[in-house]
Amino acid sequence: KEQTYPFKKIEAKWQKYWRKIELFKMDPQSSRPKYYCLMMFPYPSSALHVGHGRNYIIGDVVARFIMMKGYNVLTPMGWDAFGLPAENAAIKDGVHPKISTLRNITQMKKQLNCWGTGYDWDRELSSCLPDYYKWTQWIFLKLYEKGLAFKKKAAVNWCPSCQTILANEQVIEGRCWRCDKQVTEKVLEQWFFKITAYAQRLLDDLTKLKEWPQRVRIMQQNWIGRSVGVRIDFPIVGEKEVLSCFTTRVDTIFGATYM
Ligand SMILES: [Zn+2]
């Protein structure tokens, strides 16, 4: 008779044991070297699928490997429970997002535990619950007090059908990713963070991340988008106005023969 791996028996046994000895509970008093293994928090928009398996099992392998090397490993888990994925799931199910989101969290947590992936569940968080978002609100207030959060008018992607602003990634060939209606441009007053105030510091600190792949560092540099150059005013013959230009290569300015 063919022998198959009796996973229900073996895995349940060891998962119970890991829970009993609190294998994944991080001990803050430990003198062992620390290691923080953070995996992206899933959107609780449905049940876990095989794509989640790929992501969270890889993270679990890393955490266990480091743990077996003697480190005091912290692996937190939480739920990225705000935004359009949760809203879409609620619309699809025809229930209030609070009900569907919390129900999905229960389901997904059960699945993660079935997989045997190890987390310090004492530190579980859900971004839709006040004990978490009170801190994002607190951070926002601090930014506001320092003049780093401000309001101004800006053009946004607007879906007239969903009555919502869309991120660039949510506009697919000029259409709303949710309802497929034509997206329009609308000028709205909205909040901004003055991240430009930190551009130089971010760039300087990027050079300290020696282990990061160069590809990722260049991506970050481009995202920060700071460039050094000069502003040049070109006079217009017979006009009082000037044309202001910015160049990163002022040494090539003599090559500008017309505009
Ligand atoms: Zn739409």
Side-chain angles (χ1 to χ4, degrees):
K1 191 168 166 268
E2 196 187 342
Q3 282 283 313
T4 52
Y5 168 57
F7 67 92
K8 274 190 180 163
K9 214 173 132 198
I10 291 179
E11 297 192 2
K13 177 190 163 183
W14 288 105
Q15 286 164 16
K16 199 175 150 198
Y17 177 71
W18 296 332
R19 272 197 299 277
K20 194 180 144 210
I21 63 163
E22 298 185 318
L23 183 64
F24 294 98
K25 194 174 153 71
M26 201 276 287
D27 172 17
Q29 306 301 328
S30 167
S31 59
R32 286 176 293 153
K34 292 173 187 165
Y35 192 91
Y36 182 44
C37 186
L38 176 69
M39 283 144 266
M40 276 189 294
F41 295 157
Y43 299 125
S45 49
S46 63
L48 292 179
H49 52 70
V50 71
H52 289 103
R54 176 181 168 271
N55 188 51
Y56 295 105
I57 290 166
I58 291 172
D60 186 59
V61 168
V62 172
R64 284 169 189 267
F65 176 68
I66 303 286
M67 196 177 260
M68 283 189 260
K69 283 171 82 175
Y71 282 77
N72 184 23
V73 178
L74 170 59
T75 55
M77 186 39 74
W79 313 98
D80 190 353
F82 266 134
L84 279 176
E87 201 180 312
N88 279 340
I91 290 169
K92 204 177 128 210
D93 297 346
V95 292
H96 192 284
K98 184 176 178 181
I99 296 167
S100 61
T101 300
L102 296 179
R103 195 176 57 199
N104 290 336
I105 287 174
T106 308
Q107 164 69 12
M108 291 166 88
K109 187 172 173 179
K110 202 173 123 193
Q111 287 178 287
L112 283 175
N113 281 324
C114 280
W115 290 350
T117 48
Y119 306 107
D120 188 345
W121 285 112
D122 287 356
R123 294 164 187 268
E124 180 184 4
L125 62 89
S126 297
S127 62
C128 61
L129 297 177
D131 65 349
Y132 176 81
Y133 68 67
K134 71 177 178 191
W135 292 112
T136 53
Q137 291 175 341
W138 181 83
I139 291 168
F140 180 84
L141 289 175
K142 292 290 146 196
L143 290 166
Y144 181 71
E145 284 163 17
K146 301 278 179 193
L148 294 167
F150 58 93
K151 262 185 156 176
K152 81 172 183 194
K153 282 197 170 142
V156 293
N157 303 310
W158 178 259
C159 175
S161 157
C162 299
Q163 295 279 302
T164 186
I165 295 172
L166 299 171
N168 287 338
E169 294 76 17
Q170 294 165 337
V171 181
I172 296 143
E173 290 176 359
R175 292 177 178 277
C176 170
W177 74 325
R178 182 154 82 184
C179 70
D180 205 36
K181 293 266 154 50
Q182 195 77 39
V183 172
T184 58
E185 197 180 273
K186 191 171 178 174
V187 175
L188 279 181
E189 193 168 62
Q190 49 180 338
W191 288 100
F192 285 87
F193 293 124
K194 199 178 171 188
I195 52 174
T196 48
Y198 297 90
Q200 194 53 51
R201 210 163 104 188
L202 287 167
L203 286 170
D204 291 346
D205 288 355
L206 259 184
T207 62
K208 295 179 196 165
L209 300 172
K210 305 258 184 261
E211 297 84 10
W212 280 32
Q214 199 198 11
R215 182 176 57 83
V216 177
R217 275 183 286 161
I218 288 171
M219 242 159 59
Q220 293 286 322
Q221 263 170 31
N222 293 339
W223 172 75
I224 296 164
R226 184 171 197 269
S227 59
V228 178
V230 290
R231 201 149 74 199
I232 289 186
D233 291 340
F234 287 96
I236 305 170
V237 177
E239 299 280 342
K240 278 208 177 106
E241 270 184 282
V242 292
L243 277 176
S244 281
C245 297
F246 176 82
T247 175
T248 56
R249 292 288 307 275
V250 73
D251 53 311
T252 65
I253 206 71
F254 295 109
T257 48
Y258 65 91
M259 52 181 37

